[in-house]
Amino acid sequence: MKKAHLTETRFSNLELSDSIIKSLKEAGFINCTPIQDKSLPLALRDKDVAGQAQTGTGKTASFLLATFQRLINDESEQIKNPRALILAPTRELAIQIHKDALVLGKYLNLKFALIYGGTDYQKQLDKLKTNVDIIIGTPGRIIDFYKQGAFTLENIQVTVMDEADRMFDLGFIKDIRFLLRRMPPPEKRLNLLFSATLSYKVTELAYEHMNNPVLIRIESEEVTSKAINQIAYCPANDQKIPLLLGLLKYHQPQRSIVFVNTKRCAERLDDYLEANGYKVAMLSGDVPQEKRQRLLNDFQENRVTLLIATDVAARGLHIPDVSHVFNYDLPQDVEDYVHRIGRTARFGASGEAISFICEEYAYSMPDIEDYIGEKVPVTSITPELLVEEVVKPQRKEPRERVVPHDKRAPQRPRQDRKPREFKPKSAEAAPSSAPENPPLPETP
């Protein structure tokens, strides 16, 4: 394993409490990454920060440590309502932030509430009604509880927006603004925004709802993990499955993610891999939340070592020891390529990113290379990489999407449906008085 790209700045030299330093040491964090080195000294002095850095480079620790320190600095009076709000675009990312918060805040007297949609409604609501310090969650469910009066935003001292570019992609910006406008003004709180990209829209959001933030950009050449070995193959469409099976056999990955663009492709690939002896988990956008968490836990605990995923899993998941990422389909959004391959080589661990430049998505590669500023080497497909005998899956019934009863459209009782009556618009349009079926002429 290669060492993570770290700076010479040590956490112990920053203005962090002894309790935080103790938890950092136990977690094995001694030196800062570049984004931590540049953002933490500012945030610890109550300066707003909008930070851009590649996924997997320590953004989460940056905003958690700054949030913790701000809250423990101001414990003069007991406040019954949350004092910090951390917003994430996806439930998976919210869950991961909460896990990291429990580790880094191990020795602090802070209470967390994890809030996201899809499950545990009453449990989360009950948690919010206790004296929590920090809410971590997704905007929709948080707004739902806020409108019920489960908590107030009047005492918020720290606001964090993580993966802000993804917030725009998923249409959450109206929700974000709804929450921000109900907090104390920006100058009365610490505002931290982190994102893999600081687009024009994200920067505009920062200046609108933050207090003169310092923009920090960690350039891609600083943080693109050179431990990721990027390669590509150019298979015909009918070679993609034999090639993937051959590469899995050749590389014997410790833990791998195969990214596809559509649910339909994920299901087809799932069937083929299982038919050829692989135990697979499949993650797509419409997988119910409880099942999704069970699949991710199985993957993290090595009960399943191969995950097929659409881009719902591309951001925010910190799953250790993913040795290989396969772009079975090249992403159509160049930024998604960066987020996908960022699932391997986390914090500098080595990894492989293997992409298929197939007939359908080949047009994406030039844009990807322009965006990352480098060429992805193309490797020729040798016969030994193609599995000759691919076991075809048995024909299955089409997978049916389960729609909850409460979301199904109501059906009108059949007896209530009246036949449509034809009414001519004018006398000219009226049917003639000629008989409907005129008699046939007599044969002589």
Side-chain angles (χ1 to χ4, degrees):
M1 290 289 193
K2 297 183 182 181
K3 291 284 185 184
H5 180 45
L6 300 173
T7 67
E8 294 183 3
T9 303
R10 299 168 71 93
F11 288 108
S12 57
N13 294 334
L14 300 177
E15 299 173 58
L16 292 166
S17 73
D18 292 341
S19 299
I20 293 176
I21 295 296
K22 184 178 179 182
S23 63
L24 283 165
K25 284 182 179 177
E26 286 190 7
F29 299 125
I30 306 300
N31 290 68
C32 297
T33 64
I35 188 64
Q36 293 162 354
D37 178 40
K38 291 187 177 180
S39 66
L40 268 172
L42 294 168
L44 292 173
R45 296 277 178 102
D46 290 334
K47 186 69 179 171
D48 287 5
V49 170
Q52 172 188 315
Q54 197 85 4
T55 183
T57 57
K59 296 194 300 289
T60 303
S62 296
F63 63 70
L64 284 176
L65 298 179
T67 299
F68 294 164
Q69 193 61 52
R70 169 66 181 255
L71 297 189
I72 63 179
N73 283 348
D74 188 14
E75 289 185 322
S76 54
E77 56 180 297
Q78 190 67 23
I79 299 174
K80 193 177 178 180
N81 298 299
R83 293 184 287 147
L85 182 64
I86 299 175
L87 297 169
T90 65
R91 54 196 118 186
E92 289 83 10
L93 180 54
I95 291 167
Q96 186 58 52
I97 293 170
H98 181 255
K99 285 182 180 177
D100 292 343
L102 292 176
V103 172
L104 297 179
K106 183 177 178 180
Y107 297 105
L108 302 176
N109 187 28
L110 295 174
K111 295 178 182 177
F112 308 100
L114 175 60
I115 306 298
Y116 56 87
T119 187
D120 293 337
Y121 191 93
Q122 191 59 46
K123 182 179 175 183
Q124 292 177 15
L125 183 57
D126 292 342
K127 179 69 175 178
L128 268 182
K129 290 179 178 178
T130 65
N131 188 20
V132 299
D133 298 282
I134 301 174
I135 296 176
I136 301 167
T138 53
R141 177 64 68 84
I142 289 174
I143 288 176
D144 183 0
F145 289 147
Y146 174 79
K147 288 181 175 179
Q148 292 185 47
F151 65 95
T152 179
L153 295 170
E154 294 175 359
N155 300 303
I156 293 294
Q157 298 175 29
V158 184
T159 305
V160 177
M161 292 171 279
D162 194 18
E163 296 285 8
D165 53 345
R166 192 62 166 168
M167 300 278 197
F168 276 101
D169 294 344
L170 296 176
F172 284 140
I173 291 306
K174 283 187 178 179
D175 292 340
I176 301 295
R177 289 193 165 109
F178 175 90
L179 294 167
L180 292 172
R181 286 168 181 157
R182 283 152 182 82
M183 298 177 188
E187 60 271 16
K188 292 189 176 180
R189 62 179 199 255
L190 174 65
N191 304 282
L192 304 172
L193 179 151
F194 286 87
S195 181
T197 57
L198 282 181
S199 64
Y200 173 79
K201 286 182 179 179
V202 173
T203 307
E204 185 180 43
L205 177 73
Y207 283 120
E208 182 183 354
H209 292 285
M210 300 173 73
N211 181 27
N212 296 320
V214 177
L215 296 184
I216 296 174
R217 286 185 169 90
I218 303 298
E219 298 302 328
S220 59
E221 55 265 27
E222 283 186 62
V223 297
T224 299
S225 178
K226 296 203 173 143
I228 302 178
N229 180 36
Q230 300 178 65
I231 61 171
Y233 295 91
C234 296
N237 283 347
D238 60 0
Q239 289 181 312
K240 290 177 75 174
I241 287 174
L243 179 58
L244 179 63
L245 290 170
L247 290 170
L248 288 171
K249 183 178 178 181
Y250 176 78
H251 287 281
Q252 297 286 314
Q254 175 183 350
R255 190 181 291 167
S256 58
I257 303 177
V258 180
F259 283 106
V260 296
N261 289 346
T262 66
K263 178 194 170 190
R264 184 177 178 183
C265 180
E267 290 175 345
R268 180 171 181 265
L269 198 53
D270 181 38
D271 292 340
Y272 265 95
L273 288 171
E274 287 195 352
N276 285 271
Y278 290 93
K279 191 174 180 182
V280 182
M282 188 187 75
L283 197 63
S284 61
D286 60 351
V287 174
Q289 177 59 24
E290 290 186 9
K291 183 179 180 183
R292 184 182 306 197
Q293 280 309 115
R294 188 171 69 250
L295 292 175
L296 286 173
N297 287 336
D298 286 346
F299 189 57
Q300 289 175 322
E301 300 295 328
N302 273 336
R303 289 186 287 273
V304 174
T305 58
L306 183 56
L307 178 69
I308 301 170
T310 55
D311 282 307
V312 70
R315 295 190 186 221
L317 293 181
H318 173 43
I319 300 171
D321 302 325
V322 174
S323 59
H324 291 71
V325 167
F326 295 91
N327 283 307
Y328 184 83
D329 296 332
L330 277 179
Q332 294 167 289
D333 184 334
V334 293
E335 291 179 12
D336 284 335
Y337 177 84
V338 175
H339 295 299
R340 286 182 181 189
I341 71 171
R343 298 311 100 203
T344 188
R346 302 291 287 183
F347 294 101
S350 59
E352 299 272 342
I354 301 172
S355 299
F356 290 1
I357 308 175
C358 67
E359 301 164 29
E360 190 172 0
Y361 298 110
Y363 66 87
S364 294
M365 185 51 84
D367 292 336
I368 289 170
E369 291 178 330
D370 285 345
Y371 183 74
I372 65 175
E374 60 181 299
K375 290 285 184 183
V376 177
V378 176
T379 304
S380 59
I381 301 173
T382 57
E384 54 268 22
L385 284 180
L386 295 171
V387 170
E388 292 183 8
E389 296 183 11
V390 176
V391 179
K392 292 187 177 180
Q394 293 182 353
R395 193 166 185 176
K396 296 181 180 179
E397 292 294 322
R399 308 191 194 203
E400 190 174 342
R401 185 178 177 183
V402 178
V403 180
H405 284 281
D406 58 350
K407 292 188 179 179
R408 292 178 186 168
Q411 298 291 322
R412 284 178 60 188
R414 202 162 187 79
Q415 60 269 26
D416 292 346
R417 299 178 191 170
K418 296 181 180 179
R420 189 175 176 185
E421 186 177 349
F422 174 74
K423 293 182 181 180
K425 291 182 181 178
S426 65
E428 293 178 1
S432 68
S433 57
E436 191 174 343
N437 293 310
L440 294 172
E442 294 181 8
T443 53

